[in-house]
Amino acid sequence: MKVTETFLKGCFVIEPTVFGDKRGRFFEVFNKKIFEEKTGLNIEFVQDNQSISQRGVLRGLHLQKGEHAQAKLVRVIQGKVLDVIVDVRKNSPTYGKHFSIELSEENNKQLFIPRGFLHGFSTLEDNTIFSYKCDNYYNKKAEDGVIYNDKALNIDWRLEKNEILISEKDKILTTFLEFRK
Ligand SMILES: Cc1cn([C@H]2C[C@H](O)[C@@H](COP(=O)(O)OP(=O)(O)O[C@H]3O[C@H](C)C(=O)[C@H](O)[C@H]3O)O2)c(=O)[nH]c1=O
């Protein structure tokens, strides 16, 4: 397993070791001991989520606030996404900065996202299965977020404007300037 910290402190790109043979491929998706050794973190995941999306679907930018904040370990089982995180940790030197990475069935890459980040992804292939672990439970009342096309964040989601499909809930998310108040 290769673990690389991003320029956003505490965020790690994880590349599992893949064992291929004439039958196909095998890899350990998650190994708590190795994960903790390589990241120096001690995380207790309590909930696994999965979503399936067609090309053009954009989910985000979301987070849960306060005591319901979630750290996430995200990956793609099938298909491809552009995964995007925005640092909104209080007093972080990289507050407002974003990091994006292509996660796919092909590259097997995973992203560990600490608490205090907005998270979203754009779906780049049909029938994309997005799977992730959370270290805190879902709490609808604690949900918050920022509109995906916020001018201040200026994120390139790698989709044409006319192919983007978002939920009614995401259509009315606030701007980053409003969010940070
Ligand atoms: C997140 C979640 C949702 N739900 C229910 C609530 C809705 O009835 C339905 C769809 O939820 P939502 O539209 O919020 O799903 P996404 O737009 O994929 O939201 C996720 O998108 C981005 C990428 C994230 O990182 C978050 O985990 C999460 O906000 O599932 C649950 O029952 N439990 C949950 O943990």
Side-chain angles (χ1 to χ4, degrees):
M1 177 199 281
K2 185 179 160 205
V3 175
T4 314
E5 191 165 19
T6 71
F7 77 96
L8 296 173
K9 194 158 176 40
C11 300
F12 296 90
V13 176
I14 294 153
E15 296 173 80
T17 305
V18 180
F19 300 96
D21 63 28
K22 58 176 185 278
R23 298 167 299 168
R25 294 191 299 270
F26 173 92
F27 63 94
E28 291 183 358
V29 173
F30 177 69
N31 179 312
K32 186 168 170 28
K33 184 169 174 294
I34 300 176
F35 177 83
E36 291 185 344
E37 276 168 11
K38 298 236 178 187
T39 62
L41 299 168
N42 178 10
I43 300 275
E44 199 62 41
F45 293 111
V46 297
Q47 182 175 318
D48 278 13
N49 292 341
Q50 179 167 302
S51 60
I52 300 178
S53 308
Q54 299 306 316
R55 178 181 164 87
V57 167
L58 195 156
R59 297 174 185 259
L61 292 156
H62 304 154
L63 61 62
Q64 290 191 174
K65 291 178 292 192
E67 62 178 341
H68 300 288
Q70 296 169 308
K72 296 169 190 164
L73 178 59
V74 305
R75 74 185 191 106
V76 165
I77 294 177
Q78 179 177 287
K80 190 187 289 185
V81 306
L82 184 76
D83 203 74
V84 178
I85 56 176
V86 183
D87 187 354
V88 288
R89 293 171 293 190
K90 214 167 161 43
N91 307 325
S92 168
T94 50
Y95 188 95
K97 298 279 183 227
H98 73 269
F99 170 77
S100 51
I101 182 172
E102 199 174 275
L103 303 177
S104 70
E105 180 183 353
E106 287 316 304
N107 70 21
N108 292 308
K109 286 183 182 176
Q110 303 175 13
L111 183 64
F112 174 75
I113 312 162
R115 295 182 177 190
F117 279 78
L118 288 160
H119 174 240
F121 65 84
S122 56
T123 310
L124 303 178
E125 285 180 8
D126 283 339
N127 304 312
T128 286
I129 301 173
F130 190 82
S131 174
Y132 54 111
K133 294 178 167 314
C134 303
D135 78 336
N136 211 350
Y137 294 105
Y138 173 61
N139 182 298
K140 191 174 183 58
K141 294 193 182 71
E143 285 193 304
D144 200 349
V146 168
I147 191 86
Y148 73 97
N149 60 357
D150 181 83
K151 298 251 180 310
L153 295 177
N154 191 29
I155 295 168
D156 176 4
W157 292 99
R158 287 186 27 200
L159 288 173
E160 296 303 322
K161 268 206 185 70
N162 61 7
E163 63 176 332
I164 291 177
L165 174 63
I166 62 173
S167 66
E168 290 310 308
K169 178 183 73 155
D170 286 356
K171 280 180 185 162
I172 55 171
L173 288 171
T174 185
T175 63
F176 185 61
L177 290 180
E178 280 304 307
F179 171 84
R180 61 184 298 176
K181 278 183 184 153

